[in-house]
């Protein structure tokens, strides 16, 4: 066998040198290229009316985005984050009355400028309503232009409606009419495609095909969702009368939760845990995928509502003398009592971290009168309004929209037992009522995706 020729070694060296030179040239070209916006999406976990999360191909100068970006209409905002990613946060207390035109511009740490981009953004939620039609009910959506359109066919009765927290769909529980109540309940999922953030034109949500999720009729079903779009289902059927609890992730994965609860469970908005009512009190349990944890708040309490800032919530505590109190809970702090009285608590809502709280009460003075209170975080009454001429529709929640600074509730005219309830918007500052002339047994917000 002949020894290997040494002529191949210079060729290998030349190839290696060429490869290194080419890699260096490519690196220099990449460094000279302007940075790119890799991802932009609405953020649900916001202390203000709305926020956008942005991820770039390189670390960016936050100050350059602060100086060069523009919003129309002119709104107060700030940039948060260090280099990459960044967050655009609208300041609290502002009312959004139209879509936002966003001019996005700034530079990276090497003084390369992101090519100017124009985006259209509308973070305002839309109004959902359970509307009586024919001999049944139908879920309808009100667009920002004020027009209504049907999302579902006519169903005998809609017992539960749960918009997914990321706006990607709506879960429904339907039941038969009073004559066919023995037929049981069905669980449905209606996918929605939203376009509330776009470089071109915005569009109204487009419903997909209504999907039935249960294989056999249900005896009952309770639903909850979080901002990630996960869906928690507590249900029972004739084959499983003791009930089961499932977590359906937005990506389609289904997990069975082995949790014993004395009432309806609620997912935390940020998606890391679930609030479980137990005989000893309210417990906070972690979801599958993380370390198993259980935190217990003893006492007879019900979860009333969540605040927009993570970890804040309002609880209703029941006392032995039949009084009730409203409590604000915050991470690492004992519950703060905001109100105590003998009235029935019909609903509550809070702004940001609980700086402002709204409490809906039912007083009994010969006849039922409902009253709406606005409180600060020390429990001082800032405003009150008696809902004269109105009755709160049973089971209707009180909901707050931070983008337009307004509350939503379903009210029925007190003078008529026949006339159906209507959605009523309430100014969060003045508590002025604005009824919407649309029969609706239930009114909810559909989050903007």
């Amino acid at each position: 066998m002949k020894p290997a020729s040494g002529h191949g070694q210079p060729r290998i060296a030349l190839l290696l040198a060429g490869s290194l030179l080419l890699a260096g040239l490519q690196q220099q070209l990449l460094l000279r290229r302007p940075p790119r916006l890799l991802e932009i999406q609405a953020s649900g976990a916001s202390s203000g009316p709305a926020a956008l999360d942005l991820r770039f191909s390189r670390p960016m100068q936050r100050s350059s985005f602060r100086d060069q970006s523009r919003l129309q209409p002119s709104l107060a905002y700030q940039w948060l984050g260090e280099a990459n990613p960044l967050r655009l946060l609208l300041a609290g207390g502002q009312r959004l009355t139209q879509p936002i035109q966003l001019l996005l511009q700034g530079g990276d740490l090497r003084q390369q400028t992101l090519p100017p981009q124009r985006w259209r953004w509308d973070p305002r939620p839309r109004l959902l309503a359970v509307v009586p039609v024919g001999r049944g009910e139908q879920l309808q959506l009100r667009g920002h232009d004020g027009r209504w359109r049907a999302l579902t066919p006519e169903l005998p009765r809609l017992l539960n409606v749960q918009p997914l927290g990321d706006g990607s769909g709506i879960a429904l529980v339907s039941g038969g009419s009073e004559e066919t109540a023995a037929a049981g309940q069905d669980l449905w999922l209606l996918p929605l495609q939203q376009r509330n953030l776009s470089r071109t034109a915005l569009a109204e949500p487009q419903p997909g095909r209504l999907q039935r999720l249960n294989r056999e009729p249900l005896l009952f079903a309770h639903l909850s969702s979080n901002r990630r779009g996960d869906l928690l289902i507590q249900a029972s059927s004739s084959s499983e009368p003791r009930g089961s609890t499932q977590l359906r992730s937005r990506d389609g994965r289904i997990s069975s939760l082995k949790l014993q609860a004395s009432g309806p469970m609620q997912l935390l908005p940020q998606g890391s845990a679930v609030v479980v009512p137990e005989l000893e009190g309210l417990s906070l349990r972690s979801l599958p995928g993380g370390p198993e944890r259980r935190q217990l708040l003893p006492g007879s309490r019900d979860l009333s509502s969540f605040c927009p800032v993570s970890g804040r919530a309002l609880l209703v505590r029941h006392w032995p003398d039949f009084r009730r109190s409203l409590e604000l809970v915050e991470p690492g702090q004992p519950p703060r009592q905001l109100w105590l009285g003998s009235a029935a608590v019909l609903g509550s809502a809070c702004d940001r971290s609980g700086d402002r709280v709204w409490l809906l009460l039912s007083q009994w003075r010969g006849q039922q009168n409902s009253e709406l209170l606005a409180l600060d975080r020390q429990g001082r009454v800032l405003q009150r309004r008696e809902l004269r001429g109105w009755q709160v529709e049973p089971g209707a929640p009180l909901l707050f929209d931070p983008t337009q600074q307004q509350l939503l509730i379903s009210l029925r005219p007190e003078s008529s037992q026949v006339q159906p309830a209507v959605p009523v918007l309430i100014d969060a500052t003045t508590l002025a009522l604005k009824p919407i002339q649309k029969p609706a047994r239930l009114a909810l917000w559909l989050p903007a995706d």
Side-chain angles (χ1 to χ4, degrees), residues 183-202:
Q185 302 176 8
D186 287 317
L187 177 60
W188 308 86
L189 180 62
L190 178 68
L192 288 176
Q193 184 174 1
Q194 298 202 49
R195 195 165 71 192
N196 301 308
L197 177 64
S198 173
R199 297 193 66 176
T200 55
L202 305 179

Side-chain angles (χ1 to χ4, degrees), residues 23 50 166 243 317 397 406:
D166 63 349
R317 184 171 186 178
Q406 60 185 358

Side-chain angles (χ1 to χ4, degrees), residues 262-372:
S262 60
M265 294 184 279
Q266 299 286 341
L267 290 174
L268 282 190
Q270 66 268 28
S272 59
V274 57
V275 179
V276 181
E278 301 181 17
L279 296 178
E280 300 87 357
L282 286 177
S283 69
L284 191 63
R285 307 289 292 270
S286 57
L287 292 176
E292 187 171 343
R293 296 176 181 174
R294 177 179 181 266
Q295 300 176 6
L296 180 67
L297 180 63
S300 180
R301 291 177 168 93
D302 297 325
L303 174 65
S304 183
S305 58
F306 290 108
C307 301
V309 173
S310 175
R312 276 76 172 179
L314 296 174
L315 307 180
V316 175
R317 184 171 186 178
H318 304 271
W319 294 88
D321 59 0
F322 301 104
R323 293 184 300 169
R324 301 167 185 84
S325 60
L326 185 72
E327 299 175 334
L328 173 66
V329 292
E330 303 174 278
Q333 300 291 330
R336 180 198 300 266
Q337 182 174 291
L338 302 180
W339 173 88
L340 174 66
S342 58
V345 177
L346 301 182
S348 70
C350 48
D351 181 16
R352 304 182 69 177
S353 57
D355 298 325
R356 192 176 177 93
V357 171
W358 297 272
L359 177 61
L360 186 60
L361 302 172
S362 176
Q363 303 280 0
W364 290 87
R365 300 169 187 162
Q367 61 178 351
Q368 183 177 7
N369 294 306
S370 299
E371 185 179 33
L372 181 63

Side-chain angles (χ1 to χ4, degrees), residues 137 152-162 170-177 180-190 210-223 231 233-238:
E137 294 180 329
T152 67
E154 177 184 332
L155 297 168
R157 186 167 175 83
L158 286 172
L159 304 173
N160 198 340
V161 178
Q162 177 61 65
I170 306 170
L172 312 165
V173 178
S174 69
S177 61
T180 60
Q185 302 176 8
D186 287 317
L187 177 60
W188 308 86
L189 180 62
L190 178 68
L210 189 62
Q211 306 169 12
R212 182 177 173 179
L213 300 184
N214 59 305
R215 295 182 179 179
E216 60 177 314
L218 302 176
L219 301 177
F220 82 92
H222 172 75
L223 309 175
L231 177 64
I233 304 170
Q234 289 174 266
S236 72
S237 61
S238 56

Side-chain angles (χ1 to χ4, degrees), residues 39 90 115 285 320 389 420-421 448:
E39 186 179 29
L90 299 182
R285 307 289 292 270

